[in-house]
Amino acid sequence: RPQVYLRQVITRGVSPPHLDDLSKVIKSRGVAANGVIGTFGASSGILQEATLRQDLRAIIQRYRSLGYSKVSLRCASPDSSRLFRAERSPNLSSFDLWSTDINSHICYRVISDHKVRAQRRLLTLLIEVNEGQRTRLNFADFYPFDQTMDQQRADERDNLLRGLELIDDLGQPITEAGFSQDKLNLLSNFLLLSLKERGYLRAKVQPMCQLKVGRAELSEPKLCNLEELYGQVIERLSFTAELGPKAEVNGLLIHGQLLTKEEVIRREILLKSGQPLSAEALLLSQSNLRGLGLFRSVTLKPIGLGAAPQTSIVEPVTLVLNVEENLPWLLDGYFGLRLTDEAITTDLQGLNLLYTSALTIRHRNVTGRGWELGGGVSHDNLLFNHTDIEGENASWALGPFF
């Protein structure tokens, strides 16, 4: 039976400015708009249910990112017999609900070019969208928190705003940019993370929204509730924060090291006395210690968090490091076979089968400073001549390594 292809994909209810947006996220493609199937790209015109569901999900996600939080698709009950329609103008009574539950409903229609199933060659995919109203944002303001951001954090902020399509490539705010709860959560979490990196581990961030009430006047800042602001233009988004006490490191206790010098351990810990406690620096310090290869286990924990009242300015924290050292001496050995096409002697040309072996011993923590010192011996020989370990076909290597 000949392959059936998509003639075209029709999206109804889509505003003209968003047609290009949807074409970029829909993978199902029409390959015969004029009734002739082109050989180039014909594979994208094969209708697959898994791809179609991905397209529907991508349409919903794209609309929500554009600020249409209540977007919906025209759907029908999950009756496979209604999936393919032979008529050019099928009865639409079964498509009587609007939903985003694409797993429980059929939210697309497929119209064939012929009533007889065996003679169908081209299909038309129809997706109907109810956009709803669009919530928009004019300006996201991080003041005064951006005054204390370093250049790296400021670049991360700009990259986030650019990725959320709230600023352009020049860093200027995009007027009436689509805004959603997901975008609001990402901005709030970014600010919360930057505060925690400065030691404010108990900080609480609240987004505040302002609307325009006159030509040059804004409403009073109010806690952002996007359900209440549905379909409106938010003129300014700002943030307030309840910082709480600033966690600062006031000491480091080390347990478990037997051979390793304490200064070797301390130089790998990024948190010093008097510095703010940072979750990122805590994890990187543990990673640095594990990277030395000297320890079987590493645990770095702060104690004293939450002991100070919320109204305190500084919360002193002590770091407790527990390590378990690896055995310093390590004995390694291996034995295997390998093929070589190198000429071993004038009598042995072509491929030769050799056995190879090695034995090494090393100390991985010389003087407790993480230095490595050892030695080893390796031996290769022809497999069929293994008894002649001193012959011209055998090779030995002996030496130290550091």
Side-chain angles (χ1 to χ4, degrees):
R1 182 173 176 268
Q3 180 70 56
V4 179
Y5 292 92
L6 277 177
R7 175 195 292 269
Q8 59 184 334
V9 178
I10 300 175
T11 52
R12 288 182 182 168
V14 179
S15 302
H18 303 322
L19 288 172
D20 187 54
D21 284 311
L22 293 192
S23 67
K24 293 178 181 178
V25 300
I26 296 178
K27 295 182 179 179
S28 298
R29 302 288 182 184
V31 294
N34 58 358
V36 179
I37 301 175
T39 55
F40 181 76
S43 60
S44 61
I46 300 175
L47 183 61
Q48 300 181 27
E49 186 173 359
T51 302
L52 188 49
R53 289 190 181 276
Q54 291 177 5
D55 290 339
L56 297 177
R57 192 173 294 110
I59 290 173
I60 294 170
Q61 291 175 349
R62 181 55 185 159
Y63 262 109
R64 287 175 176 170
S65 71
L66 291 171
Y68 297 94
S69 61
K70 296 185 180 181
V71 63
S72 58
L73 305 177
R74 192 169 189 177
C75 305
S77 59
D79 184 355
S80 60
S81 64
R82 297 173 180 173
L83 180 58
F84 292 92
R85 297 282 184 172
E87 305 87 359
R88 292 189 176 274
S89 300
N91 182 10
L92 303 182
S93 60
S94 59
F95 288 83
D96 54 0
L97 60 92
W98 295 89
S99 175
T100 55
D101 187 359
I102 61 175
N103 294 320
S104 301
H105 303 97
I106 297 174
C107 299
Y108 56 88
R109 279 176 282 155
V110 178
I111 306 170
S112 66
D113 63 341
H114 204 282
K115 293 183 178 181
V116 181
R117 185 181 183 87
Q119 297 183 22
R120 294 173 183 171
R121 297 294 180 270
L122 297 173
L123 306 173
T124 297
L125 174 64
L126 176 61
I127 302 172
E128 292 190 72
V129 179
N130 181 10
E131 295 179 336
Q133 299 183 50
R134 188 185 189 198
T135 305
R136 292 146 289 169
L137 174 67
N138 278 338
F139 180 52
D141 189 0
F142 282 89
Y143 182 84
F145 306 103
D146 55 359
Q147 302 300 302
T148 55
M149 292 182 183
D150 57 21
Q151 188 59 48
Q152 179 181 352
R153 183 64 66 179
D155 290 341
E156 292 174 356
R157 175 205 59 195
D158 291 344
N159 289 335
L160 175 61
L161 291 171
R162 195 172 292 112
L164 297 179
E165 300 176 284
L166 298 178
I167 63 173
D168 58 24
D169 291 337
L170 299 178
Q172 298 301 311
I174 297 176
T175 303
E176 296 193 5
F179 198 56
S180 65
Q181 188 64 49
D182 287 340
K183 293 185 179 182
L184 181 61
N185 293 339
L186 287 171
L187 294 174
S188 299
N189 290 337
F190 169 80
L191 182 55
L192 185 61
L193 179 61
S194 66
L195 291 174
K196 288 187 175 182
E197 289 302 316
R198 292 164 49 198
Y200 296 104
L201 301 184
R202 286 196 263 170
K204 298 177 182 178
V205 172
Q206 290 185 323
M208 310 298 289
C209 287
Q210 292 175 272
L211 305 180
K212 202 169 187 178
V213 295
R215 288 188 176 181
E217 186 178 354
L218 299 180
S219 63
E220 290 295 321
K222 184 180 178 181
L223 186 64
C224 288
N225 185 331
L226 295 191
E227 283 291 327
E228 295 179 358
L229 297 172
Y230 171 69
Q232 299 192 51
V233 178
I234 303 168
E235 191 66 27
R236 178 174 176 264
L237 169 67
S238 59
F239 298 90
T240 62
E242 181 184 340
L243 297 179
K246 184 177 184 179
E248 288 188 356
V249 178
N250 70 344
L252 171 66
L253 301 177
I254 303 175
H255 300 292
Q257 101 276 12
L258 302 175
L259 179 60
T260 308
K261 299 292 184 182
E262 187 170 309
E263 58 265 28
V264 174
I265 295 176
R266 288 185 177 272
R267 76 185 179 199
E268 301 298 331
I269 297 178
L270 304 179
L271 296 163
K272 311 299 180 184
S273 293
Q275 292 183 346
L277 179 63
S278 162
E280 182 180 4
L282 200 67
L283 294 174
L284 287 175
S285 298
Q286 292 185 94
S287 178
N288 290 344
L289 289 169
R290 293 190 181 101
L292 293 175
L294 304 178
F295 306 108
R296 186 174 304 169
S297 66
V298 175
T299 305
L300 182 60
K301 293 183 178 181
I303 59 173
L305 279 177
Q310 184 71 10
T311 55
S312 301
I313 298 177
V314 176
E315 182 176 36
V317 176
T318 301
L319 298 178
V320 178
L321 173 65
N322 289 286
V323 297
E324 182 181 354
E325 292 183 340
N326 289 316
L327 295 175
W329 287 101
L330 181 64
L331 181 66
D332 279 335
Y334 70 84
F335 181 85
L337 301 175
R338 66 183 178 92
L339 284 172
T340 180
D341 58 356
E342 297 178 1
I344 299 177
T345 65
T346 55
D347 298 330
L348 296 172
Q349 304 290 333
L351 287 177
N352 293 287
L353 182 62
L354 283 76
Y355 69 82
T356 178
S357 60
L359 182 67
T360 63
I361 185 171
R362 51 182 168 165
H363 194 288
R364 297 179 292 177
N365 198 2
V366 177
T367 73
R369 300 186 180 277
W371 300 336
E372 186 171 306
L373 181 64
V377 58
S378 64
H379 171 59
D380 296 345
N381 199 1
L382 288 170
L383 184 63
F384 68 84
N385 199 27
H386 60 277
T387 56
D388 185 11
I389 60 174
E390 296 182 356
E392 61 179 359
N393 298 323
S395 65
W396 292 87
L398 178 68
F401 57 83
F402 304 92

